[in-house]
Amino acid sequence: MIELPRPSTKLLLLRIFFLALAYVVAGRLSLLLAIPPGFVSGLFLPMGIALGAVLIWGYPVAIGIFLGSTLLNISVSPAELITFPVLLVAAEIACGSTLASIVGAWLIRKFVGFPNSLTDERDIFAFFALGGPVATSLSATVGVLTLYFNGIIPFKHMLYSWWTWWIGDAIGVLIATPLVCVLFAEPRHFWRDRRMTVGAPLIVSSLIVVAVFVMASNNEQKKLNDQFKQQANMVGGAVDASLSSVIYTLATLRGLFVASEQVTRAEFSSYIAQVIVEKHGVSGFSWNKRVLHSERAAFEASMHAEGILDFYIKEKDSTGAFISAPERAEYIAITYVEPWQENAMILGFNAASEPDREKALNRARDTGHFAMTQPLQLLQDEKMSPAIVVYYPVYKPMQLIDTVAERRASLVGYAVAIIRTDNLINAALAPLSSSDYHLNIVDITAPENPMAFYHRGDPVIPAYAHGLVLHQEIFVGGRHLLVSVSPTEKYLTEHISLQSWFVLAGGLLFCSLLGGFLLLISGRTQHISNLVEQRTKELAAILENAVESILVVDERGLIQKANPAAAQLFKYPLIQFSNLHIADLVPGLRNIFNAQGDDLTTSHLRETFGRCSDNSDVEIELSISPVAIHERKFFTLIIHDATAKRKVDRLKSEFISTVSHELRTPLTSIKGALSIVLSDSLGDTPPKIKDLLVIAASNADRLARLVNDILDVDKLEFGKVQLNMKPWAIYPLLRESIEQNRGYGERYGVALQLESPDSLVERAEVNLDADRFLQVMANLLSNAIKFSYLDGIVRVQLALDEQTLRVSVIDEGQGIADDFRQRIFQKFAQADSSDTRRRDGTGLGLSITKVIIERMGGKIDYHSVLGKGATFYFTLPLAE
């Protein structure tokens, strides 16, 4: 593992600070892509930034991750709600994010290695898998458990929250980590080149996906707004209609008192029961009569006469108990009320004795219209339950009542509706689904002192639902009501579509795959570019330091490049070669390179001479190889100074001539003398001396063969032997070679056998030199005989192999070891040096054979099994 250099304390603190800042900023940007109700974001960039930072700068910068995550989680809470438990939750979530970054970096270092150029598909896959899905499962798990144990989410939401949290973090790693690496990772020159090939396409594609997501999300939000507003309008309309129905009903009751001079309690009760059938959530109706103080006694007596014996005008004292009303100029006494049993206790109450009711009474009296009180507690209720009282004034019959004074003078009393707001609104909303919305109605007649009118559902509206809240203002009875309808969590869960989230997550996942693909392609491209650059430098170094002269020319023969060895050979400065034609250096190539370029498709090796800058000639060996580069043809010329070689060849020729004369002549004399002595022409030779002479004669023959073989090898290798190539039927030659070597085989107790081919093969002809062919067969047969066991058989086969004839010499001897294959056709090569004496050989036979076969256009090879013999075979092309 590569150890990162330890930064200075100041640099480390700066990195921690900027990492924390980047975490918060990226987190806020990511939350802009969140989808309610759970603020699920399909892309959480801070996790990718955090992992990249830990990978590049080491584990100490994880402090910045903890600080940034804590600050980010605190920032999403309203300032007034930031408490110690909130800080604790933020810190716990930050621990999960920090742990995920550290574990992800450790896994990548262990199994992928870092710094890493990420040019291999396996490394890229492991990098993304370990840093993304694997490591971010920790942050999702810690985060969701924190929310659950702190009571922020219920158990039923844990799996969904974990899944969406994990997806957002994982995609954040897949998108942001490569971008961080492009900006800061090592090796810098390698990653810097990926800014345009990886960074720019990744950013552009991600922005396109985000733009598509925003459009899809806005469309979904608009659709949701339209759906909910339609329902909210129905709720607001139902509330408005319920209040309007109360006014209509109250107007009907008022008509009873306008049309009648005197209404008895029985008539009032009957009218309520028979005419006002639909109560529309109204708790009761009453008739409140205006009674002057001078009329009080008579009024109370009349009520006693109607059977209400305990009737008297009353008010409430400071303790809430009913007392007889003190003397006042006038009283607004509750005279009749229905339902009777529930409301009998309030009969006789002076409604004008309470300020809230008095305000509504006076407003109704002075305007001639109905007036509604602010939310208050009904007289018959022991506990506060929001209620209202609506008053509709009744005046004495007059032709015109236009002024306030006239209205006050002619007031008779009030038709009254007693309403518990819960009953009224609940009755109005009964046809609508109560689980889809929260309803809140506030009396804002006095803006500085708003009063609760009605409430259903959670009073705290989630932040994500603020855009869906419908506010409607209703003016009724002189009061100003604000109706607010907001969706419930159930409604949001059922109606919010995650289609845009899947668009975002799926699109960003595609972007991350695109990023991985671009990493792979750019990495390989950069690797190839670096490799090409390295190889170019290596080739340039080889060219500059090559011992042989190297020239590169185009198809017109103009020299494009030359190495220092060429400058030394031809005695030209390097810079001058670009002005030369190849014919200026090698006149023999003038006819090969012309204005159009000759069609040289294979390498050419030739001996010629070169011309130096001082017009002196130098003997050279020249090899020409064509090379096609970008549809242009070039030729590489490798030139060898052959001056020393030619000198060696001359010395070798002189040596061969000397050997031929100086060795052969004495050997001939020695062999002749030994032959005469051994023939007993000079008399009988003692047996012991004769044995020594036989040995001497044998070694003289062996030395003569060695000299002949050496001379043959030399002549054949250097082309000094001209082969007499003619078409020959090969089968008769094989029979002749068998006969020539039969005696040699009998000497070793080995039989020779020529297998008969079919008639077509027997008549087949091959271009060859008959004498040299018999020499080849003699070498192969003698080797097979020498290495065969006593009473063994050496077989010769002839077969047709496509356009060639194949000759095989097969023995059943000791075979050839595999480790000898590389040297078997080399000069003086023998499997065992002791074979030279035991087998009577020079080690040159197979080398000579190979040269002859190749000179005749054929190929030679063998196969062998150790201990089971060997088969040597060669092929020669058929004569045309």
Side-chain angles (χ1 to χ4, degrees):
M1 181 181 294
I2 299 175
E3 293 187 1
L4 295 174
R6 186 169 297 177
S8 64
T9 303
K10 182 178 180 180
L11 178 59
L12 177 60
L13 292 176
L14 284 174
R15 287 175 175 175
I16 291 174
F17 171 76
F18 283 110
L19 177 56
L21 179 63
Y23 197 103
V24 173
V25 173
R28 297 297 296 183
L29 291 175
S30 297
L31 291 178
L32 295 177
L33 305 179
I35 299 177
F39 282 100
V40 179
S41 178
L43 172 65
F44 194 65
L45 292 172
M47 279 306 301
I49 296 173
L51 177 62
V54 175
L55 279 172
I56 297 170
W57 294 320
Y59 299 112
V61 298
I63 299 173
I65 301 172
F66 177 81
L67 295 175
S69 179
T70 303
L71 293 174
L72 174 63
N73 288 291
I74 292 174
S75 69
V76 298
S77 301
E80 64 274 10
L81 297 180
I82 297 178
T83 59
F84 179 75
V86 171
L87 296 176
L88 187 60
V89 169
E92 291 171 354
I93 295 175
C95 287
S97 301
T98 306
L99 178 63
S101 300
I102 293 174
V103 171
W106 180 83
L107 290 172
I108 291 173
R109 291 183 187 280
K110 181 174 180 61
F111 296 103
V112 180
F114 204 87
N116 189 314
S117 299
L118 295 182
T119 58
D120 178 72
E121 56 266 24
R122 177 192 169 279
D123 287 347
I124 293 174
F125 175 80
F127 181 90
F128 281 156
L130 295 175
V134 174
T136 55
S137 62
L138 290 174
S139 59
T141 301
V142 174
V144 170
L145 288 176
T146 298
L147 296 181
Y148 171 70
F149 285 114
N150 285 278
I152 299 175
I153 61 172
F155 179 80
K156 64 180 181 179
H157 289 171
M158 285 185 66
L159 182 60
Y160 172 78
S161 298
W162 185 92
W163 167 256
T164 51
W165 194 314
W166 177 65
I167 288 291
D169 282 3
I171 295 180
V173 168
L174 300 181
I175 294 292
T177 303
L179 295 177
V180 174
C181 289
V182 165
L183 294 174
F184 302 107
E186 297 291 342
R188 294 296 309 122
H189 70 280
F190 199 97
W191 284 99
R192 190 184 302 113
D193 293 340
R194 287 175 161 176
R195 290 180 180 176
M196 297 306 298
T197 57
V198 177
L202 192 57
I203 292 174
V204 171
S205 60
S206 298
L207 290 177
I208 292 174
V209 170
V210 169
V212 173
F213 159 76
V214 170
M215 289 189 293
S217 180
N218 288 340
N219 289 336
E220 288 183 357
Q221 193 71 14
K222 183 177 182 301
K223 180 180 178 181
L224 180 63
N225 286 347
D226 293 342
Q227 289 177 345
F228 184 73
K229 283 184 178 179
Q230 182 178 1
Q231 178 139 348
N233 284 329
M234 293 175 62
V235 173
V239 172
D240 193 9
S242 66
L243 293 172
S244 298
S245 68
V246 170
I247 304 306
Y248 174 78
T249 302
L250 197 57
T252 304
L253 178 61
R254 175 179 179 272
L256 172 66
F257 290 94
V258 171
S260 304
E261 293 184 1
Q262 182 69 34
V263 177
T264 65
R265 173 178 171 275
E267 291 172 340
F268 179 82
S269 178
S270 177
Y271 187 86
I272 294 298
Q274 297 180 20
V275 178
I276 307 179
V277 180
E278 296 292 337
K279 303 299 190 300
H280 302 289
V282 179
S283 298
F285 293 95
S286 70
W287 165 246
N288 292 10
K289 183 176 175 60
R290 178 191 183 196
V291 179
L292 299 176
H293 181 67
S294 60
E295 302 171 343
R296 176 174 178 176
F299 172 70
E300 290 177 345
S302 67
M303 294 302 295
H304 295 160
E306 288 196 43
I308 308 175
L309 301 179
D310 58 350
F311 183 90
Y312 63 95
I313 297 177
K314 52 191 174 183
E315 297 178 4
K316 279 189 174 183
D317 62 12
S318 59
T319 65
F322 287 110
I323 60 173
S324 178
E327 182 178 339
R328 299 182 186 278
E330 65 178 18
Y331 310 91
I332 306 298
I334 301 177
T335 306
Y336 304 136
V337 64
E338 289 292 336
W340 174 266
Q341 296 297 331
E342 298 174 11
N343 302 296
M345 63 181 297
I346 65 173
L347 286 174
F349 181 77
N350 179 20
S353 65
E354 286 194 352
D356 293 338
R357 288 177 171 82
E358 185 183 22
K359 290 178 183 178
L361 289 169
N362 294 338
R363 188 167 64 253
R365 178 197 64 193
D366 294 344
T367 62
H369 301 293
F370 65 89
M372 185 173 70
T373 66
Q374 68 181 38
L376 48 72
Q377 181 178 348
L378 295 180
L379 298 172
Q380 56 271 45
D381 290 344
E382 296 181 358
K383 295 181 180 180
M384 175 61 183
S385 177
I388 56 172
V389 180
V390 182
Y391 300 101
Y392 211 154
V394 177
Y395 302 100
K396 295 176 183 178
M398 295 180 65
Q399 291 183 350
L400 290 174
I401 302 177
D402 294 331
T403 66
V404 173
E406 291 174 343
R407 292 190 183 97
R408 289 178 178 180
S410 61
L411 179 68
V412 176
Y414 298 88
V416 181
I418 305 168
I419 304 168
R420 288 186 173 87
T421 56
D422 287 353
N423 294 344
L424 177 70
I425 304 301
N426 288 341
L429 300 180
L432 305 176
S433 174
S434 61
S435 62
D436 289 345
Y437 59 88
H438 300 304
L439 176 60
N440 189 43
I441 305 176
V442 180
D443 187 333
I444 58 172
T445 306
E448 70 282 358
N449 184 30
M451 303 184 68
F453 187 91
Y454 175 85
H455 176 74
R456 172 190 284 180
D458 189 354
V460 179
I461 301 174
Y464 60 83
H466 284 169
L468 297 177
V469 177
L470 175 68
H471 298 288
Q472 181 178 347
E473 296 181 359
I474 298 177
F475 295 89
V476 58
R479 306 301 297 181
H480 184 188
L481 302 181
L482 177 63
V483 180
S484 299
V485 187
S486 60
T488 62
E489 183 179 355
K490 175 179 176 294
Y491 180 88
L492 292 172
T493 303
E494 292 177 351
H495 290 79
I496 288 182
S497 171
L498 291 179
Q499 180 179 355
S500 58
W501 184 87
F502 285 113
V503 168
L504 178 63
L508 293 174
L509 181 60
F510 169 78
C511 291
S512 64
L513 295 177
L514 174 64
F517 175 75
L518 292 176
L519 280 175
L520 178 61
I521 297 302
S522 63
R524 288 188 172 178
T525 302
Q526 185 66 30
H527 177 70
I528 292 172
S529 177
N530 293 341
L531 190 61
V532 168
E533 182 179 356
Q534 180 183 351
R535 293 293 183 267
T536 301
K537 291 180 179 178
E538 292 174 355
L539 291 174
I542 293 172
L543 183 65
E544 295 297 323
N545 296 283
V547 176
E548 300 290 359
S549 301
I550 300 175
L551 298 175
V552 178
V553 302
D554 62 15
E555 53 191 2
R556 294 179 299 169
L558 297 176
I559 298 176
Q560 304 295 314
K561 192 170 183 61
N563 70 338
Q568 184 178 358
L569 176 64
F570 292 103
K571 302 176 182 178
Y572 279 99
L574 271 175
I575 59 174
Q576 194 172 343
F577 277 89
S578 59
N579 301 321
L580 298 176
H581 191 275
I582 188 60
D584 296 332
L585 302 180
V586 185
L589 298 180
R590 186 176 302 277
N591 295 329
I592 295 180
F593 292 94
N594 48 46
Q596 290 75 31
D598 208 7
D599 187 20
L600 294 174
T601 57
T602 59
S603 298
H604 290 67
L605 180 64
R606 66 188 67 206
E607 296 180 356
T608 182
F609 69 93
R611 182 152 296 159
C612 301
S613 61
D614 58 4
N615 288 325
S616 62
D617 292 336
V618 59
E619 294 180 325
I620 59 173
E621 289 180 345
L622 177 67
S623 173
I624 304 176
S625 300
V627 179
I629 302 177
H630 300 303
E631 299 182 355
R632 290 188 62 191
K633 185 177 289 186
F634 295 90
F635 298 90
T636 302
L637 283 68
I638 300 178
I639 303 172
H640 175 69
D641 186 352
T643 304
K645 182 180 179 182
R646 300 289 170 80
K647 183 177 180 181
V648 170
D649 289 344
R650 287 191 293 269
L651 292 175
K652 186 180 292 186
S653 298
E654 293 174 1
F655 172 75
I656 292 173
S657 176
T658 300
V659 168
S660 177
H661 178 73
E662 299 297 334
L663 288 182
R664 280 183 171 178
T665 302
L667 276 176
T668 302
S669 300
I670 293 171
K671 287 176 64 178
L674 289 174
S675 177
I676 293 172
V677 174
L678 288 174
S679 66
D680 294 330
S681 300
L682 301 177
D684 294 334
T685 306
K688 291 184 178 182
I689 295 176
K690 192 171 186 177
D691 291 339
L692 294 175
L693 294 174
V694 169
I695 293 172
S698 175
N699 282 303
D701 290 339
R702 181 170 173 271
L703 182 58
R705 288 196 302 273
L706 177 60
V707 171
N708 290 335
D709 285 345
I710 291 174
L711 295 177
D712 279 348
V713 168
D714 181 77
K715 292 177 181 178
L716 288 168
E717 284 185 346
F718 290 95
K720 296 178 179 178
V721 175
Q722 296 298 323
L723 300 183
N724 185 18
M725 303 288 288
K726 293 181 180 180
W728 286 86
I730 201 168
Y731 186 70
L733 294 175
L734 291 177
R735 283 203 307 265
E736 184 178 348
S737 67
I738 291 292
E739 294 303 325
Q740 289 179 354
N741 291 277
R742 192 178 299 280
Y744 188 75
E746 291 174 352
R747 173 182 169 188
Y748 284 89
V750 176
L752 301 181
Q753 177 182 322
L754 175 61
E755 296 183 0
S756 300
D758 57 42
S759 58
L760 180 62
V761 175
E762 188 174 346
R763 295 193 302 271
E765 293 184 345
V766 175
N767 283 321
L768 51 76
D769 185 318
D771 292 335
R772 292 297 178 181
F773 178 81
L774 291 175
Q775 183 181 356
V776 167
M777 289 304 301
N779 288 338
L780 295 178
L781 287 172
S782 63
N783 277 349
I785 291 169
K786 287 186 291 185
F787 290 95
S788 293
Y789 298 113
L790 187 63
D791 297 328
I793 298 176
V794 174
R795 294 179 290 116
V796 179
Q797 293 179 345
L798 178 64
L800 183 63
D801 185 6
E802 294 183 353
Q803 297 300 313
T804 62
L805 276 179
R806 175 174 170 144
V807 178
S808 303
V809 178
I810 307 167
D811 67 64
E812 299 173 351
Q814 63 191 41
I816 303 170
D818 289 338
D819 58 3
F820 188 55
R821 172 174 286 275
Q822 298 297 326
R823 298 183 292 114
I824 194 168
F825 290 107
Q826 295 178 4
K827 291 179 284 188
F828 303 105
Q830 291 183 329
D832 186 348
S833 60
S834 63
D835 288 344
T836 304
R837 293 183 292 274
R838 290 194 300 108
R839 304 294 183 182
D840 188 26
T842 64
L844 293 170
L846 288 178
S847 177
I848 294 172
T849 298
K850 185 174 185 294
V851 174
I852 294 173
I853 291 297
E854 290 177 349
R855 288 285 302 275
M856 291 193 297
K859 296 180 181 179
I860 186 170
D861 204 349
Y862 79 96
H863 57 78
S864 174
V865 178
L866 195 62
K868 295 184 179 181
T871 299
F872 281 83
Y873 58 88
F874 61 86
T875 59
L876 293 171
L878 293 172
E880 296 181 356

